[in-house]
Amino acid sequence: MRIDIIAVLPELLESPFQHSILKRAQQKGLLEVVVHDLRKFGKGKHRQIDDYQYGGGAGMVLMPEPVATCIDQLQAERRYDEVIYLTPDGERLDQGKANQLSLHRNLLLICGHYKGLDERIREHYVTREISIGDYVLSGGELAAAILVAALGRLLPGALFDETSALFVFFFYDMVSTEFYTRPADFRGRAVPPILLSGHDRAIDEWRHEQSLQRTRQRRPDLLDEVE
Ligand code: ADE
């Protein structure tokens, strides 16, 4: 999968893809992330990329020309399955959407800033708008990093343990069971004995029951969606 990201602050995206699973996915050739500095497409001495909004009001808007020029250049080189604008008023990212998006070959992400994109760019180029949650960040870069992090680990071969990609935190529509590692007794708190029993089937059943209980307690909304 290739992911191109158009950013106002590309520096914010220097580190997130250089570690752990995302680094390995890139080294293995499963993932390619290319960040494009929007300012390079700005005109004039200051390479202006934002301007006052028509109608007045506080906050600048990203000018359509630099964004369009950047997208045009990228689209001349490859076809994108989706052109995604990261914005708090987009559809909320969840595991199901991440799973679907991870099946694509080429994604183009656009990070907003200030008041965001000129509406004409949204209408003409953007095919999907995604929010990482109901709160407002000052720019879309960190949201883009989160989206890439959610997708990268799903790519076949990115994890050592293939099965864990989908199962670590969401077991279908449930939250995961609890996890323990050594020692079996930590400051007087023991690991549930079933996990030391060696009975794989009984352990699977216990974990499933734990997941269900934890989902009821923590995320009852997930069960509502299934029922
Ligand atoms: N840009 C600013 N806030 C955002 C959010 N919550 N999700 C996606 N992009 C954003």
Side-chain angles (χ1 to χ4, degrees), residues 177-180 191-199 203-204 206-207:
T177 178
E178 55 211 71
F179 301 108
Y180 299 90
V191 169
I194 179 89
L195 295 176
L196 311 178
S197 69
H199 295 134
I203 292 174
D204 281 350
W206 180 84
R207 283 182 166 153

Side-chain angles (χ1 to χ4, degrees), residues 126-212:
V126 173
T127 59
R128 211 143 165 197
E129 303 196 331
I130 289 185
S131 161
I132 58 158
D134 286 342
Y135 41 83
V136 180
L137 307 170
S138 55
E141 284 84 357
L142 297 180
I146 284 171
L147 180 56
V148 174
L151 301 185
R153 60 183 290 285
L154 293 170
L155 301 177
L159 299 186
F160 288 125
D161 173 4
E162 291 291 312
T163 53
S164 58
L166 288 175
F167 289 75
V168 175
F169 285 107
F170 286 93
F171 184 90
Y172 294 109
D173 291 310
M174 292 198 280
V175 301
S176 79
T177 178
E178 55 211 71
F179 301 108
Y180 299 90
T181 185
R182 287 186 287 182
D185 186 303
F186 175 65
R187 299 183 180 171
R189 290 165 180 264
V191 169
I194 179 89
L195 295 176
L196 311 178
S197 69
H199 295 134
D200 291 346
R201 217 174 125 187
I203 292 174
D204 281 350
E205 281 168 14
W206 180 84
R207 283 182 166 153
H208 187 265
E209 186 51 36
Q210 290 301 309
S211 287
L212 200 55

Side-chain angles (χ1 to χ4, degrees), residues 9-17 113 138-139 141-142 145:
L9 293 176
E11 302 83 0
L12 275 178
L13 294 169
E14 271 166 21
S15 170
F17 315 127
H113 250 270
S138 55
E141 284 84 357
L142 297 180

Side-chain angles (χ1 to χ4, degrees), residues 5-33:
I5 308 177
I6 301 176
V8 174
L9 293 176
E11 302 83 0
L12 275 178
L13 294 169
E14 271 166 21
S15 170
F17 315 127
Q18 302 309 324
H19 311 276
S20 181
I21 291 167
L22 294 182
K23 178 181 176 185
R24 212 170 50 236
Q26 290 175 94
Q27 285 171 341
K28 285 182 171 177
L30 306 170
L31 174 68
E32 191 181 359
V33 183

Side-chain angles (χ1 to χ4, degrees), residues 51-113:
D51 207 343
Y52 295 101
Q53 48 175 315
Y54 276 120
M60 310 289 271
V61 176
L62 287 175
M63 297 159 74
E65 189 63 43
V67 183
T69 309
C70 181
I71 299 175
D72 287 343
Q73 276 190 19
L74 291 170
Q75 284 186 329
E77 283 166 34
R78 62 183 49 74
R79 199 197 137 267
Y80 291 94
D81 299 296
E82 299 277 10
V83 176
I84 300 174
Y85 174 39
L86 281 310
T87 174
D89 60 356
E91 52 179 314
R92 185 112 52 93
L93 181 64
D94 60 21
Q95 190 62 52
K97 284 174 193 150
N99 296 348
Q100 286 163 7
L101 287 170
S102 74
L103 300 174
H104 290 310
R105 278 178 70 81
N106 295 313
L107 295 178
L108 174 55
L109 311 187
I110 309 174
C111 306
H113 250 270

